Amino acid sequence: MNARPTMQDVARLAGVSIKTVSRVVNNEPRVDPDTRARVQATIDELGFRRNEQARSLRPGQSSSLIGLVSGDLGNPFYSAIARGIEEITYEHGHLLLTASSEEQPERERQLIETYLQHNVAGLIVAPTLDAARTITPELLRGVPLVSVDRPVSDPDPFDTVLLDNRAGARRAVTQLIHDGHTRIAIIDGNPRVYTGQERTAGYLDALREAGITPQPNLMIHGHHGARHAEQATHALLSQEQRPSAIFATNNRIATGVIRALHARRRTLAVASFDDFEFADVINLPLTLVSYDAMDLGRAAAARLMQRIQGDASAPQRLTQPVTLRVPGDSS
C-alpha cells in the first residue's frame, strides 16, 4: 500500500517550505495566490489530508482510535458485531468510533475520509454494495482495513471476516428436506448482496443434492425488510401449489414470514439464516442457522490488531462457523 502523503511531501513537490504548506492547509492569509494554487494542486495530486487528531498528539504519541463503518445499527446483528469489535479494541487500548453508512456508498466514503482525517489507527467496515468503487488502497494510504460480513470486492484487496453463509443455508434447507418437505420456497433481499447470493447458492445446493428441481415461482428476491417479506409470503400462500416450507435468508425476512403466517393462521415450517429473539416461544416448526455475531466482530478486530502491529502478509478471508438449531429440540 502507498504510504500516507505528508506535509513534507507536499512541500518538496511544490517547491515551497513546510510553513507555506501549513498556511495553505489552514487557509491563512499572506500566501501569494500563484503559490497557493500550486500548493493546492500538489495537495490534490498527492491526496494529502490534514490529520485532525495528529495536531493534538504529543511527539511520539500514536493514535488510539479505530473507526467502524457499520450497516444499520438498529439491526441486532450489526450492534452485536460492534460490541464484539469494541471488546477487542478496548483490550488493546483503542477507542472505537462507530457510525452507520445506511447502505449509502457516498456516505460510506465520507465517513472513512472523516475517520482518516482524525488519524485512526485502523478501520473495520461492513461494506455497501458499491464499496469496490469507493474503498481503495489509494483512499486509505496505508491505514489497515478489515471488512466484515461482506467482502469489499472479489478478489478482496483487504482482510475479510465472513460467516459460512453457503454451508449454513445448505444445512438448514437439507434439514427441511429431511423433515419431508419438497416444495421449499426462499425469500431473499437484494440479489446483489453477497450474503444473499451465498445463502441462495446453499439453498440450491441442498435441493440439487436431494434431486429436487428448483421452482422459479418459489424463489422470491428483492424483499429485504420484514414488511416486504410479509407481502411475499402472502403471495406465496396464494399460489395454487403452495410451499410447505419457507427459507428466509435473514432474521428480518423471517419476521415478515412469521407475521404473514400469523395473520393467515397458517402453520408452515420456517428455516431462517439468523437466530432471533423469542424464537423459542413461537408456535411454528423452526430451523435456525445460529452463530454469535459478537464473535464475527471479535475476529475482525483481532485481525485488525495484527495489521496495526505490523503484519504485512497477503489479505486473508476468514470464515466463522455456524450451527443449526431447532428450538425446543433438546437432543
Side-chain angles (χ1 to χ4, degrees), residues 36-99:
R36 183 184 296 276
R38 187 167 74 254
V39 172
Q40 187 59 56
T42 304
I43 288 172
D44 294 341
E45 178 183 347
L46 292 179
F48 171 77
R49 291 181 296 268
R50 179 175 66 180
N51 288 328
E52 297 294 345
Q53 192 200 27
R55 299 173 70 199
S56 64
L57 295 175
R58 296 187 298 273
Q61 183 181 11
S62 60
S63 169
S64 63
L65 299 178
I66 301 296
L68 168 63
V69 181
S70 176
D72 178 10
L73 287 168
N75 186 331
F77 172 72
Y78 287 114
S79 58
I81 287 176
R83 291 199 307 273
I85 292 170
E86 187 171 36
E87 179 182 300
I88 299 300
T89 55
Y90 179 79
E91 289 175 358
H92 286 77
H94 291 278
L95 177 67
L96 182 67
L97 305 176
T98 304

Short mmCIF file of all heavy atoms in Angstrom, two decimals, residues 36-99:
data_model
loop_
_atom_site.label_atom_id
_atom_site.label_comp_id
_atom_site.label_asym_id
_atom_site.label_seq_id
_atom_site.Cartn_x
_atom_site.Cartn_y
_atom_site.Cartn_z
N ARG A 36 -0.25 29.66 -3.63
CA ARG A 36 -1.37 28.93 -3.03
C ARG A 36 -1.97 27.93 -4.02
O ARG A 36 -2.26 26.78 -3.66
CB ARG A 36 -2.44 29.92 -2.55
CG ARG A 36 -3.62 29.24 -1.83
CD ARG A 36 -4.70 30.26 -1.47
NE ARG A 36 -4.22 31.25 -0.52
CZ ARG A 36 -4.19 31.08 0.80
NH1 ARG A 36 -4.61 29.93 1.32
NH2 ARG A 36 -3.74 32.04 1.58
N ALA A 37 -2.15 28.37 -5.26
CA ALA A 37 -2.73 27.49 -6.28
C ALA A 37 -1.82 26.30 -6.55
O ALA A 37 -2.29 25.17 -6.73
CB ALA A 37 -2.98 28.28 -7.56
N ARG A 38 -0.48 26.57 -6.59
CA ARG A 38 0.46 25.48 -6.84
C ARG A 38 0.45 24.47 -5.70
O ARG A 38 0.46 23.24 -5.92
CB ARG A 38 1.87 26.04 -7.05
CG ARG A 38 2.88 24.97 -7.48
CD ARG A 38 4.19 25.57 -7.97
NE ARG A 38 5.02 26.09 -6.88
CZ ARG A 38 5.21 27.38 -6.60
NH1 ARG A 38 4.60 28.31 -7.34
NH2 ARG A 38 5.98 27.76 -5.61
N VAL A 39 0.43 24.96 -4.48
CA VAL A 39 0.40 24.06 -3.32
C VAL A 39 -0.90 23.27 -3.28
O VAL A 39 -0.90 22.06 -3.03
CB VAL A 39 0.58 24.87 -2.02
CG1 VAL A 39 0.35 23.97 -0.80
CG2 VAL A 39 1.98 25.48 -1.96
N GLN A 40 -2.01 23.93 -3.57
CA GLN A 40 -3.30 23.23 -3.55
C GLN A 40 -3.36 22.15 -4.62
O GLN A 40 -3.89 21.05 -4.40
CB GLN A 40 -4.45 24.22 -3.74
CG GLN A 40 -5.83 23.60 -3.55
CD GLN A 40 -6.01 23.01 -2.17
OE1 GLN A 40 -5.84 23.70 -1.17
NE2 GLN A 40 -6.36 21.71 -2.10
N ALA A 41 -2.79 22.46 -5.80
CA ALA A 41 -2.75 21.45 -6.87
C ALA A 41 -1.92 20.24 -6.45
O ALA A 41 -2.26 19.09 -6.75
CB ALA A 41 -2.18 22.08 -8.15
N THR A 42 -0.83 20.49 -5.72
CA THR A 42 0.01 19.40 -5.24
C THR A 42 -0.72 18.57 -4.18
O THR A 42 -0.63 17.34 -4.16
CB THR A 42 1.33 19.96 -4.66
OG1 THR A 42 1.98 20.76 -5.65
CG2 THR A 42 2.25 18.83 -4.22
N ILE A 43 -1.42 19.26 -3.30
CA ILE A 43 -2.23 18.57 -2.28
C ILE A 43 -3.24 17.64 -2.94
O ILE A 43 -3.39 16.48 -2.56
CB ILE A 43 -2.94 19.59 -1.38
CG1 ILE A 43 -1.93 20.28 -0.46
CG2 ILE A 43 -4.05 18.93 -0.56
CD1 ILE A 43 -2.50 21.44 0.33
N ASP A 44 -3.91 18.16 -3.97
CA ASP A 44 -4.91 17.35 -4.68
C ASP A 44 -4.26 16.17 -5.38
O ASP A 44 -4.80 15.05 -5.39
CB ASP A 44 -5.67 18.21 -5.69
CG ASP A 44 -6.52 19.29 -5.02
OD1 ASP A 44 -6.81 19.14 -3.81
OD2 ASP A 44 -6.87 20.27 -5.69
N GLU A 45 -3.09 16.41 -5.97
CA GLU A 45 -2.40 15.35 -6.71
C GLU A 45 -1.97 14.21 -5.79
O GLU A 45 -2.11 13.02 -6.13
CB GLU A 45 -1.17 15.94 -7.42
CG GLU A 45 -0.35 14.90 -8.18
CD GLU A 45 0.90 15.50 -8.81
OE1 GLU A 45 1.00 16.75 -8.86
OE2 GLU A 45 1.79 14.73 -9.23
N LEU A 46 -1.46 14.57 -4.61
CA LEU A 46 -0.96 13.56 -3.69
C LEU A 46 -2.06 12.92 -2.86
O LEU A 46 -1.87 11.86 -2.27
CB LEU A 46 0.09 14.17 -2.75
CG LEU A 46 1.41 14.61 -3.38
CD1 LEU A 46 2.31 15.22 -2.32
CD2 LEU A 46 2.12 13.44 -4.05
N GLY A 47 -3.21 13.60 -2.78
CA GLY A 47 -4.26 13.12 -1.91
C GLY A 47 -3.96 13.37 -0.45
O GLY A 47 -4.40 12.63 0.44
N PHE A 48 -3.21 14.46 -0.18
CA PHE A 48 -2.85 14.80 1.20
C PHE A 48 -4.08 15.22 1.98
O PHE A 48 -4.94 15.95 1.48
CB PHE A 48 -1.82 15.93 1.21
CG PHE A 48 -1.55 16.50 2.59
CD1 PHE A 48 -0.76 15.81 3.49
CD2 PHE A 48 -2.13 17.69 2.98
CE1 PHE A 48 -0.52 16.32 4.76
CE2 PHE A 48 -1.91 18.20 4.25
CZ PHE A 48 -1.10 17.53 5.14
N ARG A 49 -4.19 14.73 3.24
CA ARG A 49 -5.26 15.14 4.15
C ARG A 49 -4.65 15.51 5.47
O ARG A 49 -3.78 14.81 5.98
CB ARG A 49 -6.28 14.00 4.37
CG ARG A 49 -7.11 13.65 3.17
CD ARG A 49 -8.09 12.53 3.52
NE ARG A 49 -7.39 11.31 3.86
CZ ARG A 49 -7.09 10.37 2.98
NH1 ARG A 49 -7.45 10.50 1.72
NH2 ARG A 49 -6.45 9.28 3.36
N ARG A 50 -5.12 16.62 6.02
CA ARG A 50 -4.64 17.03 7.34
C ARG A 50 -5.20 16.06 8.38
O ARG A 50 -6.39 15.76 8.39
CB ARG A 50 -5.13 18.45 7.64
CG ARG A 50 -4.69 18.95 9.00
CD ARG A 50 -5.10 20.39 9.20
NE ARG A 50 -6.55 20.55 9.24
CZ ARG A 50 -7.14 21.72 9.41
NH1 ARG A 50 -6.44 22.83 9.52
NH2 ARG A 50 -8.46 21.78 9.45
N ASN A 51 -4.35 15.58 9.24
CA ASN A 51 -4.77 14.69 10.33
C ASN A 51 -5.21 15.53 11.51
O ASN A 51 -4.37 16.09 12.23
CB ASN A 51 -3.63 13.75 10.75
CG ASN A 51 -3.38 12.69 9.71
OD1 ASN A 51 -4.31 12.26 9.04
ND2 ASN A 51 -2.14 12.28 9.55
N GLU A 52 -6.53 15.60 11.74
CA GLU A 52 -7.03 16.46 12.80
C GLU A 52 -6.53 16.01 14.16
O GLU A 52 -6.18 16.83 15.01
CB GLU A 52 -8.57 16.44 12.78
CG GLU A 52 -9.16 17.01 11.50
CD GLU A 52 -8.90 18.49 11.32
OE1 GLU A 52 -8.51 19.15 12.30
OE2 GLU A 52 -9.09 18.98 10.20
N GLN A 53 -6.53 14.70 14.39
CA GLN A 53 -6.09 14.24 15.69
C GLN A 53 -4.60 14.43 15.86
O GLN A 53 -4.11 14.74 16.95
CB GLN A 53 -6.46 12.78 15.92
CG GLN A 53 -6.27 12.38 17.39
CD GLN A 53 -6.16 10.90 17.57
OE1 GLN A 53 -5.73 10.20 16.67
NE2 GLN A 53 -6.49 10.42 18.74
N ALA A 54 -3.85 14.28 14.79
CA ALA A 54 -2.40 14.38 14.88
C ALA A 54 -1.98 15.76 15.37
O ALA A 54 -0.93 15.93 15.99
CB ALA A 54 -1.76 14.09 13.52
N ARG A 55 -2.77 16.78 15.09
CA ARG A 55 -2.43 18.14 15.52
C ARG A 55 -2.40 18.24 17.05
O ARG A 55 -1.73 19.09 17.61
CB ARG A 55 -3.46 19.13 14.97
CG ARG A 55 -3.52 19.15 13.45
CD ARG A 55 -4.67 20.00 12.97
NE ARG A 55 -4.42 21.41 13.21
CZ ARG A 55 -5.35 22.34 13.23
NH1 ARG A 55 -6.62 21.99 13.08
NH2 ARG A 55 -5.05 23.61 13.44
N SER A 56 -3.17 17.36 17.72
CA SER A 56 -3.23 17.41 19.18
C SER A 56 -2.36 16.37 19.86
O SER A 56 -2.29 16.33 21.09
CB SER A 56 -4.68 17.22 19.65
OG SER A 56 -5.14 15.94 19.30
N LEU A 57 -1.67 15.52 19.07
CA LEU A 57 -0.83 14.48 19.66
C LEU A 57 0.54 15.03 20.03
O LEU A 57 1.10 15.85 19.31
CB LEU A 57 -0.66 13.31 18.67
CG LEU A 57 -1.91 12.52 18.32
CD1 LEU A 57 -1.57 11.50 17.25
CD2 LEU A 57 -2.51 11.87 19.54
N ARG A 58 1.08 14.55 21.13
CA ARG A 58 2.44 14.91 21.52
C ARG A 58 3.42 14.16 20.63
O ARG A 58 3.10 13.09 20.09
CB ARG A 58 2.67 14.54 22.99
CG ARG A 58 1.79 15.31 23.95
CD ARG A 58 2.21 15.01 25.39
NE ARG A 58 2.06 13.60 25.71
CZ ARG A 58 0.92 13.08 26.15
NH1 ARG A 58 -0.16 13.82 26.30
NH2 ARG A 58 0.86 11.78 26.44
N PRO A 59 4.65 14.66 20.47
CA PRO A 59 5.65 13.96 19.66
C PRO A 59 5.84 12.53 20.16
O PRO A 59 5.97 12.27 21.35
CB PRO A 59 6.92 14.80 19.87
CG PRO A 59 6.41 16.18 20.16
CD PRO A 59 5.14 15.96 20.95
N GLY A 60 5.81 11.57 19.22
CA GLY A 60 5.99 10.18 19.55
C GLY A 60 4.71 9.47 19.96
O GLY A 60 4.71 8.26 20.13
N GLN A 61 3.63 10.22 20.12
CA GLN A 61 2.36 9.61 20.54
C GLN A 61 1.60 9.15 19.30
O GLN A 61 1.52 9.87 18.30
CB GLN A 61 1.53 10.62 21.33
CG GLN A 61 0.23 10.07 21.88
CD GLN A 61 -0.56 11.14 22.62
OE1 GLN A 61 -0.22 12.32 22.55
NE2 GLN A 61 -1.59 10.73 23.32
N SER A 62 1.03 7.95 19.33
CA SER A 62 0.28 7.43 18.18
C SER A 62 -1.21 7.43 18.48
O SER A 62 -1.63 7.52 19.62
CB SER A 62 0.74 6.01 17.83
OG SER A 62 0.52 5.15 18.92
N SER A 63 -1.99 7.31 17.41
CA SER A 63 -3.45 7.34 17.57
C SER A 63 -3.95 6.08 18.26
O SER A 63 -3.43 4.98 18.05
CB SER A 63 -4.11 7.46 16.20
OG SER A 63 -5.49 7.24 16.31
N SER A 64 -4.98 6.24 19.10
CA SER A 64 -5.60 5.08 19.74
C SER A 64 -7.00 4.84 19.19
O SER A 64 -7.75 4.05 19.74
CB SER A 64 -5.68 5.31 21.26
OG SER A 64 -6.51 6.43 21.54
N LEU A 65 -7.35 5.53 18.09
CA LEU A 65 -8.71 5.44 17.56
C LEU A 65 -8.84 4.36 16.49
O LEU A 65 -7.96 4.18 15.66
CB LEU A 65 -9.12 6.79 16.96
CG LEU A 65 -9.13 7.99 17.91
CD1 LEU A 65 -9.52 9.25 17.15
CD2 LEU A 65 -10.08 7.75 19.07
N ILE A 66 -9.98 3.65 16.53
CA ILE A 66 -10.37 2.71 15.49
C ILE A 66 -11.72 3.17 14.95
O ILE A 66 -12.62 3.50 15.72
CB ILE A 66 -10.51 1.27 16.05
CG1 ILE A 66 -9.20 0.79 16.66
CG2 ILE A 66 -10.99 0.32 14.95
CD1 ILE A 66 -8.05 0.66 15.69
N GLY A 67 -11.87 3.20 13.63
CA GLY A 67 -13.13 3.62 13.03
C GLY A 67 -13.93 2.43 12.52
O GLY A 67 -13.39 1.56 11.84
N LEU A 68 -15.22 2.39 12.86
CA LEU A 68 -16.13 1.35 12.38
C LEU A 68 -17.21 2.00 11.53
O LEU A 68 -17.89 2.92 11.98
CB LEU A 68 -16.78 0.60 13.55
CG LEU A 68 -17.97 -0.32 13.20
CD1 LEU A 68 -17.53 -1.46 12.27
CD2 LEU A 68 -18.60 -0.89 14.47
N VAL A 69 -17.35 1.54 10.29
CA VAL A 69 -18.47 1.93 9.43
C VAL A 69 -19.37 0.71 9.31
O VAL A 69 -19.02 -0.29 8.68
CB VAL A 69 -18.00 2.40 8.04
CG1 VAL A 69 -19.21 2.80 7.20
CG2 VAL A 69 -17.04 3.56 8.16
N SER A 70 -20.53 0.80 9.94
CA SER A 70 -21.41 -0.36 10.08
C SER A 70 -22.62 -0.26 9.15
O SER A 70 -22.87 0.78 8.53
CB SER A 70 -21.89 -0.45 11.54
OG SER A 70 -22.82 -1.49 11.70
N GLY A 71 -23.37 -1.37 9.09
CA GLY A 71 -24.70 -1.31 8.50
C GLY A 71 -25.65 -0.71 9.52
O GLY A 71 -25.22 -0.02 10.45
N ASP A 72 -26.91 -0.97 9.36
CA ASP A 72 -27.94 -0.40 10.24
C ASP A 72 -27.73 -0.85 11.68
O ASP A 72 -27.94 -2.01 12.02
CB ASP A 72 -29.32 -0.84 9.73
CG ASP A 72 -30.46 -0.34 10.60
OD1 ASP A 72 -30.22 0.51 11.48
OD2 ASP A 72 -31.60 -0.80 10.38
N LEU A 73 -27.36 0.09 12.55
CA LEU A 73 -27.09 -0.26 13.94
C LEU A 73 -28.37 -0.59 14.70
O LEU A 73 -28.31 -1.08 15.84
CB LEU A 73 -26.34 0.88 14.62
CG LEU A 73 -24.87 1.02 14.18
CD1 LEU A 73 -24.29 2.34 14.67
CD2 LEU A 73 -24.05 -0.15 14.69
N GLY A 74 -29.53 -0.31 14.11
CA GLY A 74 -30.79 -0.73 14.71
C GLY A 74 -31.04 -2.21 14.54
O GLY A 74 -31.89 -2.79 15.23
N ASN A 75 -30.29 -2.85 13.64
CA ASN A 75 -30.36 -4.30 13.45
C ASN A 75 -29.50 -4.98 14.51
O ASN A 75 -28.31 -4.68 14.61
CB ASN A 75 -29.86 -4.66 12.05
CG ASN A 75 -30.05 -6.13 11.71
OD1 ASN A 75 -30.05 -6.99 12.58
ND2 ASN A 75 -30.21 -6.41 10.42
N PRO A 76 -30.07 -5.87 15.32
CA PRO A 76 -29.27 -6.53 16.36
C PRO A 76 -28.00 -7.20 15.85
O PRO A 76 -27.02 -7.31 16.57
CB PRO A 76 -30.25 -7.56 16.94
CG PRO A 76 -31.60 -7.01 16.65
CD PRO A 76 -31.48 -6.30 15.33
N PHE A 77 -28.01 -7.63 14.60
CA PHE A 77 -26.83 -8.26 14.00
C PHE A 77 -25.65 -7.30 14.01
O PHE A 77 -24.54 -7.64 14.48
CB PHE A 77 -27.16 -8.70 12.58
CG PHE A 77 -25.98 -9.20 11.79
CD1 PHE A 77 -25.40 -10.42 12.08
CD2 PHE A 77 -25.47 -8.46 10.73
CE1 PHE A 77 -24.32 -10.89 11.35
CE2 PHE A 77 -24.40 -8.91 10.00
CZ PHE A 77 -23.81 -10.13 10.31
N TYR A 78 -25.87 -6.08 13.52
CA TYR A 78 -24.76 -5.13 13.44
C TYR A 78 -24.38 -4.57 14.81
O TYR A 78 -23.20 -4.30 15.07
CB TYR A 78 -25.11 -3.99 12.48
CG TYR A 78 -25.09 -4.43 11.03
CD1 TYR A 78 -26.24 -4.45 10.26
CD2 TYR A 78 -23.90 -4.83 10.43
CE1 TYR A 78 -26.23 -4.85 8.93
CE2 TYR A 78 -23.87 -5.24 9.11
CZ TYR A 78 -25.03 -5.25 8.36
OH TYR A 78 -25.00 -5.67 7.06
N SER A 79 -25.34 -4.41 15.68
CA SER A 79 -25.00 -3.91 17.01
C SER A 79 -24.17 -4.96 17.77
O SER A 79 -23.26 -4.61 18.53
CB SER A 79 -26.25 -3.53 17.79
OG SER A 79 -27.14 -4.61 17.92
N ALA A 80 -24.47 -6.24 17.56
CA ALA A 80 -23.67 -7.30 18.20
C ALA A 80 -22.25 -7.34 17.64
O ALA A 80 -21.28 -7.53 18.38
CB ALA A 80 -24.35 -8.65 18.01
N ILE A 81 -22.12 -7.16 16.33
CA ILE A 81 -20.78 -7.08 15.72
C ILE A 81 -19.99 -5.94 16.35
O ILE A 81 -18.82 -6.09 16.72
CB ILE A 81 -20.88 -6.90 14.20
CG1 ILE A 81 -21.34 -8.19 13.53
CG2 ILE A 81 -19.53 -6.47 13.62
CD1 ILE A 81 -21.55 -8.07 12.03
N ALA A 82 -20.64 -4.78 16.51
CA ALA A 82 -19.97 -3.62 17.10
C ALA A 82 -19.52 -3.90 18.53
O ALA A 82 -18.41 -3.51 18.93
CB ALA A 82 -20.90 -2.40 17.05
N ARG A 83 -20.34 -4.62 19.30
CA ARG A 83 -19.95 -4.95 20.67
C ARG A 83 -18.73 -5.87 20.70
O ARG A 83 -17.83 -5.71 21.54
CB ARG A 83 -21.12 -5.60 21.42
CG ARG A 83 -22.27 -4.65 21.69
CD ARG A 83 -23.18 -5.18 22.80
NE ARG A 83 -23.66 -6.53 22.57
CZ ARG A 83 -24.75 -6.84 21.87
NH1 ARG A 83 -25.48 -5.86 21.32
NH2 ARG A 83 -25.14 -8.09 21.72
N GLY A 84 -18.71 -6.83 19.77
CA GLY A 84 -17.55 -7.72 19.70
C GLY A 84 -16.28 -6.99 19.32
O GLY A 84 -15.20 -7.25 19.88
N ILE A 85 -16.39 -6.06 18.37
CA ILE A 85 -15.23 -5.25 17.97
C ILE A 85 -14.75 -4.42 19.15
O ILE A 85 -13.54 -4.36 19.45
CB ILE A 85 -15.60 -4.34 16.79
CG1 ILE A 85 -15.87 -5.18 15.52
CG2 ILE A 85 -14.49 -3.32 16.52
CD1 ILE A 85 -16.47 -4.40 14.38
N GLU A 86 -15.68 -3.77 19.85
CA GLU A 86 -15.31 -2.90 20.96
C GLU A 86 -14.62 -3.68 22.08
O GLU A 86 -13.69 -3.17 22.71
CB GLU A 86 -16.55 -2.20 21.50
CG GLU A 86 -16.24 -1.14 22.55
CD GLU A 86 -17.45 -0.32 22.90
OE1 GLU A 86 -18.57 -0.87 22.93
OE2 GLU A 86 -17.29 0.89 23.15
N GLU A 87 -15.04 -4.90 22.29
CA GLU A 87 -14.42 -5.73 23.33
C GLU A 87 -12.94 -5.91 23.07
O GLU A 87 -12.09 -5.76 23.97
CB GLU A 87 -15.13 -7.08 23.38
CG GLU A 87 -14.57 -8.05 24.41
CD GLU A 87 -15.30 -9.38 24.35
OE1 GLU A 87 -16.54 -9.39 24.57
OE2 GLU A 87 -14.65 -10.41 24.07
N ILE A 88 -12.60 -6.23 21.82
CA ILE A 88 -11.19 -6.48 21.46
C ILE A 88 -10.40 -5.18 21.39
O ILE A 88 -9.26 -5.11 21.88
CB ILE A 88 -11.10 -7.24 20.13
CG1 ILE A 88 -11.81 -8.60 20.23
CG2 ILE A 88 -9.63 -7.42 19.71
CD1 ILE A 88 -11.25 -9.52 21.29
N THR A 89 -10.96 -4.14 20.79
CA THR A 89 -10.22 -2.88 20.67
C THR A 89 -9.94 -2.29 22.05
O THR A 89 -8.87 -1.74 22.30
CB THR A 89 -10.99 -1.86 19.81
OG1 THR A 89 -12.31 -1.68 20.33
CG2 THR A 89 -11.09 -2.35 18.36
N TYR A 90 -10.89 -2.44 22.97
CA TYR A 90 -10.69 -1.93 24.34
C TYR A 90 -9.54 -2.67 25.02
O TYR A 90 -8.71 -2.07 25.70
CB TYR A 90 -11.98 -2.09 25.15
CG TYR A 90 -11.87 -1.60 26.58
CD1 TYR A 90 -11.95 -0.24 26.88
CD2 TYR A 90 -11.68 -2.50 27.62
CE1 TYR A 90 -11.84 0.20 28.19
CE2 TYR A 90 -11.57 -2.07 28.93
CZ TYR A 90 -11.65 -0.71 29.21
OH TYR A 90 -11.54 -0.29 30.51
N GLU A 91 -9.49 -4.00 24.82
CA GLU A 91 -8.41 -4.79 25.42
C GLU A 91 -7.05 -4.34 24.93
O GLU A 91 -6.05 -4.46 25.65
CB GLU A 91 -8.61 -6.27 25.09
CG GLU A 91 -9.77 -6.94 25.82
CD GLU A 91 -9.99 -8.37 25.37
OE1 GLU A 91 -9.24 -8.82 24.46
OE2 GLU A 91 -10.89 -9.03 25.92
N HIS A 92 -7.00 -3.80 23.70
CA HIS A 92 -5.73 -3.35 23.12
C HIS A 92 -5.49 -1.86 23.32
O HIS A 92 -4.58 -1.29 22.72
CB HIS A 92 -5.68 -3.70 21.63
CG HIS A 92 -5.46 -5.16 21.36
ND1 HIS A 92 -6.47 -6.10 21.49
CD2 HIS A 92 -4.34 -5.84 20.99
CE1 HIS A 92 -5.98 -7.30 21.18
NE2 HIS A 92 -4.70 -7.17 20.88
N GLY A 93 -6.33 -1.22 24.13
CA GLY A 93 -6.11 0.20 24.44
C GLY A 93 -6.60 1.17 23.38
O GLY A 93 -6.14 2.31 23.33
N HIS A 94 -7.54 0.72 22.54
CA HIS A 94 -8.07 1.59 21.49
C HIS A 94 -9.51 2.02 21.81
O HIS A 94 -10.27 1.29 22.44
CB HIS A 94 -8.06 0.86 20.14
CG HIS A 94 -6.69 0.61 19.60
ND1 HIS A 94 -5.97 1.56 18.91
CD2 HIS A 94 -5.91 -0.50 19.65
CE1 HIS A 94 -4.80 1.05 18.55
NE2 HIS A 94 -4.74 -0.20 18.99
N LEU A 95 -9.85 3.19 21.33
CA LEU A 95 -11.21 3.70 21.44
C LEU A 95 -11.92 3.51 20.11
O LEU A 95 -11.37 3.87 19.06
CB LEU A 95 -11.20 5.19 21.81
CG LEU A 95 -12.56 5.90 21.87
CD1 LEU A 95 -13.38 5.36 23.04
CD2 LEU A 95 -12.37 7.41 22.01
N LEU A 96 -13.12 2.94 20.13
CA LEU A 96 -13.87 2.66 18.90
C LEU A 96 -14.83 3.79 18.58
O LEU A 96 -15.65 4.19 19.41
CB LEU A 96 -14.65 1.35 19.04
CG LEU A 96 -15.44 0.90 17.81
CD1 LEU A 96 -14.48 0.53 16.67
CD2 LEU A 96 -16.35 -0.28 18.15
N LEU A 97 -14.71 4.32 17.37
CA LEU A 97 -15.66 5.29 16.84
C LEU A 97 -16.61 4.55 15.91
O LEU A 97 -16.16 3.79 15.05
CB LEU A 97 -14.94 6.40 16.06
CG LEU A 97 -13.83 7.16 16.80
CD1 LEU A 97 -13.16 8.15 15.86
CD2 LEU A 97 -14.39 7.86 18.02
N THR A 98 -17.90 4.75 16.05
CA THR A 98 -18.89 3.97 15.30
C THR A 98 -19.86 4.87 14.57
O THR A 98 -20.36 5.84 15.14
CB THR A 98 -19.68 3.04 16.25
OG1 THR A 98 -18.78 2.22 16.97
CG2 THR A 98 -20.65 2.17 15.48
N ALA A 99 -20.14 4.55 13.31
CA ALA A 99 -21.14 5.26 12.52
C ALA A 99 -21.73 4.30 11.51
O ALA A 99 -21.13 3.27 11.18
CB ALA A 99 -20.53 6.47 11.81
#
